[in-house]
Amino acid sequence: MKAVAYPAFALTAFQSRLVYRNQVWASAFGDLVSIFARIAIWTAAFAGASQVDGITLPEMVTYALLSAPLLYWEYARVLYDVGDAVRTGDVAVFLLKPLHYPSYLLSTHFGHFAFELIAVVVPVALIVGFTVGLLPPASFFHGLMFFPYWAVSWLILFTLACLCGLIAFWLLTAFSLEWFLMAIMSLFSGAIVPLWFLPTPLATLFGYLPFAWISYYPAAVYLGKLDRTASWLHLGIGLIWLGLLTAAVLVLWAKARHRLIVQGG
Amino acid sequence: MTKIVAAADVRKIFRQPKRKPGLGGALTGLFSREFTEVRAVDGISFAIKAGEAVGYLGPNGAGKSTMIKMMTGILVPSSGDLTVLGRVPHSHRMINAAEIGVVFGQRSQLWWDLPVRDSFELNRHIYDISAQRFAENLARLTAMLDMVGYIDRPVRQLSLGQRMRAEIAMALLHDPKILFLDEPTIGLDVVAKDVVRKFLAEINRQRGTTIILTTHDLVDIEEICPRLIMVDDGKLLFDGELRHLRATLGNRRRLTLEFATDPGPIALKTAELVADEGAAKHFLLEKEHTSILDVLTELGSGHNLTDIKLEEPNIEEVIRTFYQNKPSLAGARA
């Protein structure tokens, strides 16, 4: 098959989301509530101070929007998709076609993400921007740098969700894993609390784990909290993590496929 | 004609962990594992030529789906040789997948939320079908399977019969050389079954697409497949034409003679008396080529015969007899 099929999957996933228009309102509303709740918490925590640990309140508002709906997207869909396909044996349907399942997943979920970005995240950002106000990138360099960070963030979250979905093949349930992943990631990624507010030992540890590249580093780069050298260095480390996670997904998929075709699931 | 599927002594043995009941059992299962062996396919050999339509028949758990999965390359045989289109299916999964079509009666391949047409369009990309060939095939299949009325409706709104027709059409868009169907008529109503059967028979006869289908519905076999492979407990019971199965089993035609008055006992060489109700007598014809005329000639005139009824053995009866007499008939070939 030609690689042209993969963009077609993304487009199809995008179109399939148009069917459930009510979901758009529900998730936009959910995201707004979550952002305004975090803005309220930060406003209270700052208690009128102009800055805390060198961070201003407007920076925290921008961080709240960047970290959660944008960077920390709804990865649970990937996890359920993989988990269900593996548990019910529907994954056989993909094996019957001349296509590569992980690539199929990647393109499909990119389609879902593109839909959420356009239908949910952008309107939410506009609402937050016009009501509370959002900051532009700290500099032109940081603004440009945000895009490769964003790509790495997206792919790391995708590979982590795939890994958990694939592990379901051995544990035969994705449910407990999802809670496990959710708890770890919301803390380790900095999606709720940025690492700069954590105690130094924890922040240092979390700063080296791949989760930090999901929300914390991209948002920190956008806000100019990393200088040029640190920005390039951390992008490199992020890419190494991405390489390792991708390799892990491919190995696990090969194992799952082997088990599926040898033991019949 | 060339062999396109060849199976030689193919076996598939599944190792299933023994589970002890209860929580304690689940916990011990985590540490020590005992396995039971399940022989799903146990030494099956057959060869299928291009253009054949073969019905793979057996009761639930006979190993039908396992065999289909091995032929489509998504399951590896434990031992034996299996080639499809000259290749070992599982080690050439991608190439094999591009040349076969597969329909699972109990698993949908259509995109649930989107119109049927969009799923077809996606398959065009997956199988890299040229626009012209796609348009031709789509038009032909839409007309043959009467899908015009619902091709633009989302799959979730379709009836099972409509969906199954769409599944079959989708599996044929890329002109596969072999079409595998795992229980294609399961759950369909009489009309929908009929449409599916007629269509499959037609593409097999007219376009020469090789068809291999599993079923436990005998009518599927009667209407689509001249050739029948019967399995049970993973073993081959019969491989040959349906009419030969009747001959092999010696299922005989039943002749009923009705008289105006009881003619008294009648003994014939050409037919065996099996039930005597006085004025109505039931015979089984001894041989396949025995005609009613032979019987009537032997009977002679002067019996005041009022009615004659000749019944072919019903295929369900044939198969039932087969499975009941299985141990003595195992390995029968025609």
Side-chain angles (χ1 to χ4, degrees):
Chain A
M1 77 178 264
K2 276 187 193 163
V4 70
Y6 295 107
F9 288 134
L11 191 65
T12 310
F14 189 94
Q15 286 171 340
S16 74
R17 292 298 294 280
L18 292 169
V19 178
Y20 299 101
R21 286 186 207 106
N22 290 338
Q23 273 188 0
V24 173
W25 296 110
S27 41
F29 183 71
D31 283 348
L32 274 177
V33 169
S34 154
I35 290 174
F36 281 110
R38 277 177 292 148
I39 292 173
I41 291 169
W42 292 122
T43 311
F46 273 69
S50 67
Q51 51 173 279
V52 175
D53 290 352
I55 310 293
T56 64
L57 186 59
E59 281 177 335
M60 276 321 296
V61 171
T62 305
Y63 187 95
L65 178 90
L66 286 179
S67 66
L70 184 66
L71 297 163
Y72 193 66
W73 46 278
E74 285 185 48
Y75 63 90
R77 188 183 287 275
V78 180
L79 201 144
Y80 286 136
D81 230 23
V82 182
D84 283 351
V86 160
R87 197 167 35 80
T88 60
D90 275 347
V91 72
V93 167
F94 297 101
L95 290 177
L96 286 172
K97 294 180 187 293
L99 56 83
H100 184 239
Y101 182 60
S103 308
Y104 159 83
L105 277 176
L106 180 77
S107 38
T108 302
H109 288 283
F110 185 76
H112 285 300
F113 173 75
F115 177 82
E116 273 155 31
L117 183 68
I118 294 169
V120 179
V121 180
V122 169
V124 165
L126 287 175
I127 293 172
V128 176
F130 282 113
T131 52
V132 192
L134 291 170
L135 295 177
S139 70
F140 183 68
F141 169 80
H142 287 104
L144 273 186
M145 210 51 179
F146 177 72
F147 288 98
Y149 267 92
W150 188 8
V152 170
S153 152
W154 195 87
L155 290 167
I156 284 184
L157 189 52
F158 172 78
T159 47
L160 281 170
C162 276
L163 277 179
C164 282
L166 283 171
I167 291 169
F169 197 69
W170 284 270
L171 300 180
L172 290 177
T173 167
F175 183 70
S176 50
L177 275 165
E178 201 230 334
W179 284 98
F180 176 72
L181 191 69
M182 227 150 63
I184 282 195
M185 293 221 292
S186 56
L187 179 64
F188 287 24
S189 66
I192 297 174
V193 182
L195 300 194
W196 56 61
F197 286 154
L198 293 178
T200 317
L202 273 186
T204 314
L205 174 68
F206 292 177
Y208 286 108
L209 295 177
F211 310 102
W213 273 266
I214 297 169
S215 284
Y216 173 70
Y217 284 120
V221 165
Y222 180 94
L223 293 171
K225 300 297 167 191
L226 268 68
D227 61 27
R228 277 174 182 253
T229 322
S231 296
W232 286 113
L233 178 70
H234 284 90
L235 184 61
I237 303 175
L239 284 169
I240 293 171
W241 270 122
L242 179 60
L244 290 174
L245 289 169
T246 307
V249 168
L250 294 178
V251 167
L252 219 56
W253 166 241
K255 275 191 188 297
R257 199 169 75 88
H258 179 79
R259 184 177 147 153
L260 201 74
I261 67 172
V262 172
Q263 293 180 23
Chain B
M1 290 226 267
T2 46
K3 268 195 255 178
I4 60 171
V5 179
D9 201 24
V10 171
R11 280 165 216 274
K12 182 70 203 178
I13 299 159
F14 291 113
R15 288 176 76 219
Q16 289 183 337
K18 269 187 200 165
R19 290 241 167 83
K20 295 182 186 102
L23 183 65
L27 286 175
T28 51
L30 285 174
F31 301 104
S32 74
R33 282 223 163 158
E34 285 176 62
F35 292 92
T36 40
E37 284 197 347
V38 179
R39 291 170 173 270
V41 172
D42 196 1
I44 285 191
S45 305
F46 57 81
I48 293 170
K49 294 190 204 97
E52 276 197 279
V54 179
Y56 206 84
L57 180 84
N60 290 331
K64 304 188 296 284
S65 294
T66 305
M67 196 66 212
I68 285 267
K69 282 182 181 164
M70 288 196 282
M71 289 190 276
T72 51
I74 57 171
L75 204 56
V76 183
S78 304
S79 71
D81 291 319
L82 178 66
T83 55
V84 172
L85 297 160
R87 287 183 292 261
V88 178
H90 69 88
S91 41
H92 298 91
R93 182 180 71 85
M94 289 271 201
I95 311 172
N96 193 44
E99 295 198 338
I100 61 171
V102 188
V103 176
F104 283 126
Q106 309 201 66
R107 246 185 243 290
S108 180
Q109 302 186 44
L110 294 160
W111 208 288
W112 190 247
D113 292 322
L114 294 177
V116 177
R117 193 187 291 279
D118 291 18
S119 287
F120 288 177
E121 193 64 33
L122 215 52
N123 254 35
R124 178 167 81 81
H125 294 299
I126 296 175
Y127 291 97
D128 196 16
I129 310 167
S130 75
Q132 195 202 341
R133 192 157 64 107
F134 179 76
E136 281 170 15
N137 283 351
L138 183 62
R140 183 171 52 83
L141 292 166
T142 309
M144 283 176 86
L145 284 163
D146 194 19
M147 299 191 298
V148 184
Y150 64 87
I151 191 160
D152 290 309
R153 294 228 318 259
V155 175
R156 64 192 145 83
Q157 293 177 2
L158 304 185
S159 71
L160 186 60
Q162 292 173 325
R163 213 197 70 204
M164 188 49 63
R165 279 183 274 160
E167 300 269 1
I168 293 173
M170 185 155 92
L172 287 167
L173 283 172
H174 61 289
D175 292 320
K177 296 192 174 100
I178 313 176
L179 179 62
F180 293 96
L181 303 110
D182 194 11
E183 315 229 348
T185 56
I186 200 159
L188 301 187
D189 65 31
V190 185
V191 182
K193 273 185 183 179
D194 196 49
V195 173
V196 167
R197 284 170 186 149
K198 287 213 166 76
F199 171 76
L200 291 176
E202 200 173 331
I203 57 150
N204 172 249
R205 315 280 189 269
Q206 290 183 359
R207 298 187 66 88
T209 309
T210 309
I211 290 181
I212 299 170
L213 66 86
T214 68
T215 183
H216 46 236
D217 190 332
L218 298 163
V219 188
D220 286 352
I221 309 262
E222 261 186 327
E223 297 200 353
I224 309 166
C225 307
R227 179 172 163 197
L228 170 70
I229 293 178
M230 270 170 81
V231 289
D232 193 23
D233 280 338
K235 290 194 175 65
L236 189 78
L237 294 185
F238 174 85
D239 179 356
E241 284 180 39
L242 193 58
R243 55 195 169 88
H244 287 154
L245 178 68
R246 288 193 182 126
T248 311
L249 291 172
N251 262 47
R252 294 178 293 176
R253 289 166 295 163
R254 176 184 280 261
L255 179 70
T256 306
L257 300 178
E258 282 178 29
F259 303 93
T261 51
D262 186 354
I266 292 175
L268 297 169
K269 272 185 282 187
T270 47
E272 182 194 353
L273 184 71
V274 285
D276 192 342
E277 298 170 17
K281 298 189 193 298
H282 303 278
F283 298 88
L284 284 177
L285 295 188
E286 290 293 346
K287 291 188 184 108
E288 209 173 342
H289 57 259
T290 309
S291 73
I292 305 182
L293 209 60
D294 297 332
V295 182
L296 294 182
T297 312
E298 197 191 347
L299 184 69
S301 56
H303 287 291
N304 205 359
L305 203 57
T306 54
D307 199 8
I308 303 170
K309 202 161 67 184
L310 183 68
E311 288 166 279
E312 286 291 329
N314 168 303
I315 178 168
E316 301 231 9
E317 244 170 56
V318 173
I319 306 278
R320 206 176 305 123
T321 323
F322 198 107
Y323 279 113
Q324 280 161 0
N325 300 340
K326 188 165 62 180
S328 60
L329 284 159
R333 303 284 174 100

